[in-house]
Amino acid sequence: MRTGFTIALRRQLLTPVLAAALILGASGCAGGGNQDGGALATASATNGSAPPGKQGLTGTGLADLQGQNGLALTITSADRDPAGYLTVRGDLKNDGAQTAVVPAELRGDELAVLRTGPSLAGATVTDFVQHKRYYVLRDTSGHPLTTTGLSTLNAGESVHVFMQFPAPPASTTSVGFQLPLFDTATIKISG
């Protein structure tokens, strides 16, 4: 299948830069409070690819995605950086009244990623203009460049999350965002 070959080739070509990306991604998520230092531009959600009522704007986020068992993901930014990466950030929250188990499906079904533990590696972005789907990047050890270690969220608990993808061409200004078991959204890329 050509798509599998393209992904395998991309991984081989990106291997030298993935280690650097992991360091940059980890340093961007280190610390607490305002992890982006306020320097990140924001993206806006647009209606178009998701069914009515599946995405919306809130006072604090750009797109709200509803999951199962009270889980909700608010996308707060989608930033393209000069190194050729697209980083999507947001907040995963348990809006339910009971502790919610973060579903294993969120990490996707790739065997190498399954061995790395709980993550959001199942997320994808789709470039509708170029007809390409981008998967969460992996480092040279096969670990996804995304928030990891999520197992449960207590009622009302929220955690900051990120997912890093190869950036679509500069001519692509919005992409579809998908996370297994969640609604979908079209988000505008900044940067």
Side-chain angles (χ1 to χ4, degrees):
M1 179 176 209
R2 188 163 203 268
T3 303
F5 174 76
T6 303
I7 293 169
L9 181 59
R10 252 190 223 130
R11 286 190 185 138
Q12 286 179 339
L13 295 174
L14 289 176
T15 300
V17 260
L18 288 179
L22 178 62
I23 293 168
L24 291 173
S27 65
C29 293
N34 186 2
Q35 297 173 352
D36 59 21
L40 296 175
T42 59
S44 63
T46 61
N47 292 326
S49 70
K54 294 291 185 180
Q55 65 183 26
L57 299 176
T58 66
T60 60
L62 302 168
D64 287 336
L65 310 175
Q66 294 302 311
Q68 297 179 346
N69 302 324
L71 291 177
L73 175 64
T74 300
I75 297 176
T76 57
S77 67
D79 299 306
R80 182 191 328 260
D81 66 33
Y85 302 107
L86 173 66
T87 304
V88 176
R89 288 187 172 82
D91 295 304
L92 182 64
K93 183 176 183 183
N94 178 3
D95 286 329
Q98 298 180 355
T99 298
V101 174
V102 177
E105 290 88 350
L106 300 187
R107 62 183 163 179
D109 58 7
E110 188 179 326
L111 294 177
V113 173
L114 292 176
R115 290 189 285 262
T116 65
S119 71
L120 302 177
T124 61
V125 293
T126 302
D127 180 343
F128 298 115
V129 175
Q130 301 294 323
H131 305 288
K132 291 184 181 181
R133 178 177 276 181
Y134 298 93
Y135 295 85
V136 170
L137 291 167
R138 276 64 164 163
D139 67 12
T140 56
S141 300
H143 291 85
L145 299 182
T146 182
T147 303
T148 60
L150 300 171
S151 58
T152 60
L153 289 175
N154 295 322
E157 184 179 6
S158 180
V159 62
H160 298 294
V161 296
F162 81 99
M163 293 141 279
Q164 194 165 50
F165 305 90
S171 60
T172 299
T173 58
S174 62
V175 292
F177 176 86
Q178 301 86 29
L179 182 64
L181 305 178
F182 280 76
D183 297 333
T184 62
T186 300
I187 55 176
K188 185 172 168 116
I189 299 173
S190 61

